[in-house]
Amino acid sequence: MSDRWLWSLPAIGLLLLMLAVGNQLHRIGELDRMRPVAGVVTDLERDGCPIIRFRTSRGEQRRVPATVCSLGSYMVGQQVALYYDPANTNAVRVDSFVDNWFASLALSGIGLPLLVVGGLLLGNGTETSPRGKRLLRHGRPVSARLIAVRRNPSSTLNNVQAWQLVLQWHDVQTGYVRLFHSEDLWLDPKPFLKGDEMTVLIDPADPRQYWVDTRHLPSLTGVHG
């Protein structure tokens, strides 16, 4: 699966929110052209849609179906507040919370979580983990050689495995060769890597405490912990 799906979450969320706003503005514009009138439910269709009768300002009787239908919401003989367009008496809207807000709230209810979650995932990519912040202040920078760019099967998000950098550093003071693993990255870093040397910040008192500096990579990086 492409890493572009992370960008699609906030994009789809924003699109749905824009549709919700557009739908509500269209609804408000419709109501501005319409007149209020009282109607009565004369019949119910199988899907619960009521047939509503009302009288226009010219004394004409009209029978129209509601635009939003649900079983059990209406009863025959029930009084219903309506809006109708005098220029087109077939254009009728029931004046209820569901009819006025359902479509916009449904779009917003899907779009807002996508926008927030997607934004958090993208935003986290620009933040440095607490360990990284500590080592940026007090750590010792060393130059390590990049030896692998791999998927991390132990870290997944929505069944997508994170990317991880593996680096090697020869500690001349102790003679040890140490391996460093970056925090999870949620964008394939290979196109953005320049050369095979990267900075790693280590704790001078304990080189096992380290942080691979990936701040030079694009902002869509890992969800750091």
Side-chain angles (χ1 to χ4, degrees), residues 31-58:
L31 295 181
D32 285 343
R33 299 192 306 268
M34 293 180 166
R35 293 181 180 178
V37 67
V40 62
V41 177
T42 60
D43 196 9
L44 294 174
E45 298 182 345
R46 290 184 177 180
D47 58 0
C49 271
I51 304 300
I52 302 173
R53 184 183 69 233
F54 70 97
R55 188 182 298 274
T56 69
S57 59
R58 297 181 179 180

Side-chain angles (χ1 to χ4, degrees), residues 110-158:
I110 299 172
L112 185 59
L114 288 177
L115 181 62
V116 171
V117 171
L120 288 174
L121 289 176
L122 295 179
N124 281 340
T126 63
E127 296 178 356
T128 302
S129 68
R131 179 177 57 182
K133 291 178 180 178
R134 177 178 62 84
L135 290 173
L136 280 170
R137 292 192 302 268
H138 308 295
R140 170 192 166 196
V142 299
S143 181
R145 184 168 62 89
L146 179 67
I147 60 174
V149 179
R150 68 179 190 182
R151 290 284 193 175
N152 182 6
S154 63
S155 182
T156 62
L157 184 65
N158 288 355

